[in-house]
Amino acid sequence: QVQVVESGGGLVQAGGSLRLSCAASGSIYSLDDMGWYRQAPGKQRELVATITSDGSTNYGDSVKGRFTISRDNAKNTVFLQMTSLKPEDTAVYYCNTKCIFPDRTRYTYWGQGTQVTVSS
């Protein structure tokens, strides 16, 4: 009964910006760590960025200085602000959410992915 909904993907020219959002809903008490991953055609899924429940962040080497991950705990939402986009950033972006339930159990859910395409 947990829903993870991603939005904000699309087509953008190199050098442009996009903001991705991922909202988790359902019988969730709160969210622990969250993150963004991406997968390009023919490649393995790779880390983009993660953020802990108290705001500590980590970024993949290829996006450092260009992408920013943030979260709104009150809305169970994580964001990815992407700037200075490059064609190499073209991929399906997946949201990863570690959900904490009222009984304090935890389970990780993945969003269905949102396409980001950066044109030359």
Side-chain angles (χ1 to χ4, degrees):
Q1 64 185 41
V2 173
Q3 297 88 40
V4 180
V5 180
E6 302 169 340
S7 63
L11 175 64
V12 65
Q13 292 184 337
S17 300
L18 285 173
R19 179 179 168 90
L20 306 183
S21 299
C22 174
S25 62
S27 58
I28 301 169
Y29 178 76
S30 65
L31 291 174
D32 200 348
D33 296 358
M34 296 185 286
W36 290 94
Y37 298 76
R38 68 187 183 186
Q39 188 168 20
K43 296 185 178 180
Q44 295 292 107
R45 190 171 299 185
E46 66 175 348
L47 169 72
V48 176
T50 61
I51 185 167
T52 66
S53 60
D54 61 357
S56 296
T57 59
N58 284 295
Y59 295 91
D61 289 341
S62 64
V63 307
K64 288 180 179 178
R66 300 187 297 121
F67 292 8
T68 302
I69 188 170
S70 61
R71 62 190 291 160
D72 184 338
N73 289 332
K75 298 181 178 180
N76 291 334
T77 302
V78 62
F79 305 95
L80 184 69
Q81 179 66 51
M82 304 183 292
T83 61
S84 301
L85 283 162
K86 304 174 181 179
E88 306 92 270
D89 296 317
T90 296
V92 177
Y93 284 69
Y94 296 92
C95 175
N96 175 270
T97 61
K98 184 184 293 182
C99 300
I100 303 173
F101 295 93
D103 64 0
R104 301 296 180 177
T105 58
R106 304 183 181 197
Y107 199 83
T108 298
Y109 294 90
W110 289 91
Q112 295 182 3
T114 184
Q115 177 71 47
V116 172
T117 302
V118 184
S119 63
S120 301

